[in-house]
């Protein structure tokens, strides 16, 4: 465990970490007092919740009334009185809604929106996230006021000096991160100002889980020089896998990511989805094969059978009715359905195989050998999953363990640890990042000759080929938080005022080519990450006119695109020179220019 230095700030601060999961959510926090070493605490009491989902967790459920108002959250939404009232007043339940936020280009051939519970007709996923963050903030305030001596005074002492750490799956990218920040503003956590946004830290669930493992006494021996470690966060919706390598050349010792993070949509909810399909097929012809009975069985499977299953040689049971409910032809006796263990194992198998495939990919591309594997997350508590992964890892000579008894609180606690200790100093680019541009026509390039029909004349008289891709940061490159990647570009304009602004899109390439040259060769593999722009009106007024083709007058503006990872969010900026000094503009959505690579 980390021996933390006393907090060096001059005023009291609260750090709140919200882990909004697909099925369960949790809160951890730390009160930072000047001169005192920070301590991490968990919120362990929520309204109408008696340790639902293990320690420190509540169901990620919201009930909405017909006017779109949230009426019940978390454990309260599971109370019999609430369920009855929801039925009478036709409230709509939102569950598993986090999956609707997933990037649509994530590999997920086994799932689409029709497989996930529909959103309420008057709400989108960001609206629900906003409401749920508001609820979690209220729960955190209530817990602190009730659990600390002079609790209301303690809460008042924070004022606006509250920082938030919000976690998200490894596979979520810039658009999803922007949505989380927008929801935090809409929830009233911070104002929509640069100062307000600075109070929000985003961290991947994989990196938060790593920091949790660093805090665990059970995993301390796995973190040492010349040892690679892999952390598997098996949650309700996603499986997040990251690998790191510790180096003591820095003080204190830090970790470097050694492979691009993996994210697979094969969390525990997909076991439940497969169970529903399996029950439909298995009970065809039975009087208990109705939608109502199968829904009851599926819910019971999710609550109990799935959690208890461990041995494929032993049968499993789903209790759904009374002792009078029987259908021996379908193995239903005394109100419970008996299932062969091997058939239940088949429901888990796709998730296990997805994890194994992701582990193999991590080991294949890792820049350092991996010797230890740690399993955390709510799904990680499954004994069958642990046994299956151990069966795979043992012959490889890899050490495998689950750090603590309550691994489902790993992300929230790890997110606070990330804020306090910040042990990862380099991350690996998951994709290749660059921009679409035009390149000067080269008669000696066969591809240019094939594309000659699309050539564009420029004011200078040069001819360029559009639809090129200029890579700035390549997949697999390890990037420190302070390192910048830069590439130079030019824009030619017939009118001077056209150079008053510079704008270009940052594009993400997800394919397998080591050197993607053309954005239209694999159009499905390219997607816009963001658009960066700059107000260059002052410098444009100093541009001197040039003479080009047939004496045409034009202006040329030079600029650079700069990419950096910052903490856990990719940042993009445009750089240009004004009065001999470098200037930079922030990311924003604007219109396109024709951009050429230098």
């Amino acid at each position: 465990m980390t021996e933390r230095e006393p907090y060096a700030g001059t005023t009291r601060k609260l750090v709140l970490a919200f882990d909004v999961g697909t099925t369960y959510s949790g809160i951890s926090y730390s009160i930072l007092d000047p001169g005192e070493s920070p301590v991490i605490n968990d919120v362990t009491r929520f309204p109408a919740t008696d340790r639902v989902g293990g320690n420190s967790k509540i169901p990620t459920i919201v009930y909405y009334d017909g006017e779109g108002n949230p009426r019940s959250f978390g454990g309260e939404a599971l109370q019999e009185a609430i369920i009855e009232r929801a039925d009478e007043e036709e409230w709509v339940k939102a569950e598993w809604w986090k999956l609707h936020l997933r990037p649509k280009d994530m590999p997920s051939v086994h799932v689409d929106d029709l497989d996930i519970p529909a959103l309420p007709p008057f709400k989108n996923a960001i609206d629900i996230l906003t409401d749920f963050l508001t609820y979690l903030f209220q729960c955190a305030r209530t817990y602190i006021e009730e659990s600390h001596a002079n609790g209301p005074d303690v809460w008042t002492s924070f004022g606006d000096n509250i920082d938030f750490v919000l976690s998200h799956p490894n596979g979520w990218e810039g658009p999803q991160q922007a949505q989380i920040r927008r929801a935090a503003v809409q929830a009233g956590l911070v104002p929509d100002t640069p100062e307000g946004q600075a109070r929000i830290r985003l961290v991947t669930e994989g990196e938060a889980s790593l920091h949790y493992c660093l805090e665990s006494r059970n995993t301390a021996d796995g973190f040492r020089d010349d040892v690679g470690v892999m952390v598997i966060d098996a949650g309700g919706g996603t499986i997040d896998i990251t690998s790191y390598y510790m180096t003591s050349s820095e003080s204190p010792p830090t970790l470097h990511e050694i492979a691009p993070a993996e994210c697979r949509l094969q969390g525990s909810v997909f076991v439940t989805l497969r169970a529903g399909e399996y029950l439909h097929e298995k009970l065809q012809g039975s009087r208990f094969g109705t939608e109502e009975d199968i829904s009851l069985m599926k819910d019971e499977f999710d609550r109990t059978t799935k959690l208890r299953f461990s041995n494929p040689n032993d049968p499993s049971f789903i209790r759904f009715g009374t002792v009078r409910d029987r259908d021996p032809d379908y193995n239903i006796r005394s109100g419970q359905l008996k299932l062969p263990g091997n058939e239940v194992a088949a429901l888990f198998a796709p998730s296990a195989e997805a994890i194994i495939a992701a582990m193999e990919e991590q080991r294949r591309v890792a820049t350092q050998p991996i010797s230890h594997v740690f399993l955390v997350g709510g799904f990680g508590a499954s004994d069958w999953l642990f046994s299956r992964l151990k069966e795979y890892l043992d012959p490889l000579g890899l050490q495998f363990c689950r750090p603590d008894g309550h691994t489902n609180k790993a992300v929230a606690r790890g997110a606070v640890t990330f804020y306090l200790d910040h042990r990862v100093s380099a991350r690996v680019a998951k994709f290749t990042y660059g921009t679409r541009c035009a390149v000067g026509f080269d008669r000696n390039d066969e591809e240019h000759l094939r594309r000659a029909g699309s050539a564009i004349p420029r004011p200078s008289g040069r001819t360029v080929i559009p639809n090129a891709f200029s890579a700035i940061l390549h997949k697999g490159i390890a990037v420190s938080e302070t390192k910048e990647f830069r590439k130079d570009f030019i824009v030619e304009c017939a009118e001077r005022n056209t150079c008053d602004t510079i704008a270009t899109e940052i594009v993400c390439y997800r394919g397998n080519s080591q050197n993607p040259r053309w954005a239209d060769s694999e159009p499905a593999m390219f997607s816009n990450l963001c658009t960066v722009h700059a107000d260059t009106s002052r410098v444009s007024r100093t541009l001197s006119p040039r003479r080009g083709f047939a004496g045409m007058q034009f202006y040329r503006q030079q600029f650079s695109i700069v990419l950096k990872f910052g903490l856990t969010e990719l940042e993009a900026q445009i750089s240009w020179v004004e009065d001999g000094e470098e200037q930079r503009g922030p990311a924003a959505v604007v219109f396109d220019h024709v951009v050429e690579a230098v």
Side-chain angles (χ1 to χ4, degrees):
M1 295 182 67
T2 304
E3 294 295 331
R4 294 189 177 90
E5 295 292 326
Y7 174 55
T10 57
T11 59
R12 169 176 277 184
K13 175 184 286 189
L14 173 65
V15 179
L16 277 177
F18 294 157
D19 168 27
V20 180
T22 301
T23 52
Y24 290 97
S25 297
I27 306 171
S28 294
Y29 68 95
S30 182
I31 297 174
L32 309 184
D33 282 315
E36 296 186 15
S37 297
V39 175
I40 300 175
N41 300 288
D42 303 316
V43 172
T44 56
R45 289 193 308 273
F46 293 90
T49 301
D50 182 18
R51 295 183 60 168
V52 175
N55 258 4
S56 316
K57 288 278 188 172
I58 59 170
T60 311
I61 296 174
V62 187
Y63 267 116
Y64 288 95
D65 64 22
E67 297 180 354
N69 301 309
R71 301 304 300 266
S72 186
F73 294 85
E76 296 172 283
L78 299 181
Q79 290 180 299
E80 289 82 354
I82 293 295
I83 294 173
E84 181 179 5
R85 186 177 178 189
D87 183 60
E88 291 175 351
E89 300 183 14
E90 298 184 341
W91 293 353
V92 179
K93 182 168 72 170
E95 60 179 343
W96 300 5
W97 48 266
K98 179 181 173 182
L99 293 176
H100 288 280
L101 291 170
R102 73 192 188 282
K104 299 308 179 186
D105 48 17
M106 274 188 73
S108 55
V109 295
H110 62 287
V111 61
D112 58 35
D113 284 345
L114 296 177
D115 298 315
I116 305 168
L119 296 171
F122 35 72
K123 291 286 180 179
N124 60 41
I126 296 300
D127 295 331
I128 303 174
L129 176 59
T130 296
D131 292 336
F132 209 81
L133 289 175
T134 302
Y135 177 72
L136 291 179
F137 185 68
Q138 293 170 345
C139 290
R141 175 173 182 168
T142 299
Y143 182 83
I144 291 173
E145 288 183 341
E146 293 179 352
S147 301
H148 291 259
N150 302 315
D153 293 335
V154 170
W155 183 266
T156 301
S157 70
F158 302 135
D160 291 332
N161 204 15
I162 302 176
D163 285 359
F164 297 88
V165 191
L166 307 178
S167 55
H168 61 80
N170 290 354
W172 286 12
E173 302 164 17
Q176 292 72 42
Q177 292 172 330
Q179 290 174 325
I180 294 172
R181 287 184 171 276
R182 187 166 82 246
V185 170
Q186 293 174 177
L189 303 187
V190 298
D192 191 13
T193 62
E195 295 76 17
Q197 290 293 341
R199 289 167 48 200
I200 298 175
R201 306 281 181 88
L202 300 184
V203 62
T204 63
E205 292 170 3
E207 191 163 321
S209 297
L210 165 77
H211 281 84
Y212 172 79
C213 291
L214 285 167
E215 284 289 285
S216 171
R217 291 185 176 89
N218 295 358
T219 59
D221 289 342
F223 292 98
R224 58 181 186 272
D225 274 359
D226 302 321
V227 171
V229 299
M230 183 186 300
V231 181
I232 304 169
D233 175 22
T238 59
I239 308 292
D240 296 292
I241 302 181
T242 45
S243 298
Y244 299 89
Y245 185 82
M246 178 174 280
T247 173
S248 60
S249 60
E250 302 173 34
S251 182
T254 62
L255 290 106
H256 294 189
E257 201 173 40
I258 56 176
E262 292 278 345
C263 182
R264 304 295 172 98
L265 278 170
Q266 277 289 5
S268 63
V269 300
F270 296 102
V271 178
T272 302
L273 284 174
R274 287 189 285 270
E277 297 168 357
Y278 163 78
L279 293 170
H280 269 287
E281 182 176 345
K282 188 174 187 66
L283 296 177
Q284 285 184 1
S286 170
R287 67 186 182 91
F288 296 106
T290 65
E291 289 292 334
E292 182 180 359
D293 282 330
I294 288 177
S295 179
L296 288 172
M297 293 180 198
K298 180 181 172 183
D299 290 345
E300 185 64 19
F301 174 90
D302 190 62
R303 283 194 300 267
T304 60
T305 309
K306 182 173 71 174
L307 305 180
R308 295 170 181 167
F309 177 69
S310 61
N311 190 339
N313 296 317
D314 297 332
S316 291
F317 297 88
I318 301 177
R319 180 170 294 281
F320 68 95
T322 69
V323 293
R324 296 186 180 87
D325 292 324
R326 291 172 50 83
D327 193 341
D329 291 340
Y330 291 86
N331 279 331
I332 296 174
R333 294 176 176 84
S334 300
Q336 64 179 7
L337 170 65
K338 180 180 178 181
L339 302 175
N342 63 316
E343 295 182 8
V344 177
L347 305 177
F348 284 77
S351 294
E353 298 312 310
I355 295 174
I356 290 172
M359 287 194 294
E360 289 176 343
E361 179 65 13
Q362 289 273 291
R363 295 179 66 234
R364 184 184 70 83
V365 303
T367 56
Q368 299 287 348
I370 295 170
S371 62
H372 289 71
V373 180
F374 304 131
L375 177 65
V376 301
F379 193 18
S382 165
D383 289 335
W384 183 89
L385 181 63
F386 179 79
S387 298
R388 175 67 185 93
L389 297 182
K390 185 174 176 58
E391 177 186 4
Y392 165 75
L393 292 168
D394 279 353
L396 300 176
L398 300 180
Q399 300 296 316
F400 181 52
C401 73
R402 287 181 285 194
D404 285 317
H406 298 296
T407 52
N408 62 357
K409 68 182 180 182
V411 172
R413 274 188 85 83
V416 179
T417 307
F418 158 81
Y419 179 96
L420 297 175
D421 301 336
H422 194 54
R423 298 288 298 278
V424 177
S425 61
R427 299 172 180 85
V428 174
K430 293 190 293 183
F431 306 109
T432 294
Y433 300 95
T435 188
R436 296 182 182 91
C437 63
V439 292
F441 179 66
D442 181 357
R443 295 182 181 277
N444 297 316
D445 189 309
E446 291 185 4
E447 183 62 30
H448 284 214
L449 293 176
R450 280 194 291 269
R451 294 172 175 267
S454 64
I456 302 173
R458 303 305 296 139
S460 59
R462 296 177 306 109
T463 300
V464 298
I465 305 294
N467 297 319
F469 175 73
S470 181
I472 302 173
L473 171 60
H474 285 270
K475 177 180 178 179
I477 298 297
V479 184
S480 69
E481 293 177 354
T482 58
K483 188 173 183 179
E484 296 184 343
F485 290 78
R486 173 190 295 257
K487 199 153 193 176
D488 298 329
F489 297 88
I490 61 172
V491 172
E492 291 182 355
C493 312
E495 301 292 334
R496 193 202 310 263
N497 60 8
T498 308
C499 296
D500 285 351
T501 59
I502 301 174
T504 190
E505 293 175 337
I506 303 302
V507 176
C508 174
Y509 171 69
R510 304 168 191 277
N512 297 318
S513 173
Q514 296 298 311
N515 183 32
R517 294 182 62 196
W518 303 99
D520 57 358
S521 61
E522 299 176 87
M525 293 293 103
F526 291 89
S527 60
N528 293 341
L529 181 69
C530 65
T531 302
V532 290
H533 82 118
D535 178 357
T536 54
S537 56
R538 287 190 301 175
V539 71
S540 71
R541 290 193 289 270
T542 68
L543 295 176
S544 299
R546 301 179 180 221
R547 293 294 173 182
F549 178 71
M552 179 184 295
Q553 179 176 286
F554 71 97
Y555 299 86
R556 175 178 289 178
Q557 172 72 287
Q558 291 185 292
F559 65 95
S560 302
I561 294 178
V562 181
L563 297 182
K564 56 182 180 178
F565 268 100
L567 292 174
T568 57
E569 299 172 78
L570 182 69
E571 297 179 25
Q573 294 179 318
I574 279 182
S575 165
W576 71 100
V577 175
E578 183 175 320
D579 295 331
E581 294 185 2
E582 184 187 48
Q583 305 292 332
R584 293 194 179 187
V589 177
V590 292
F591 53 87
D592 294 330
H593 273 306
V594 175
V595 178
E596 304 171 35
V598 175

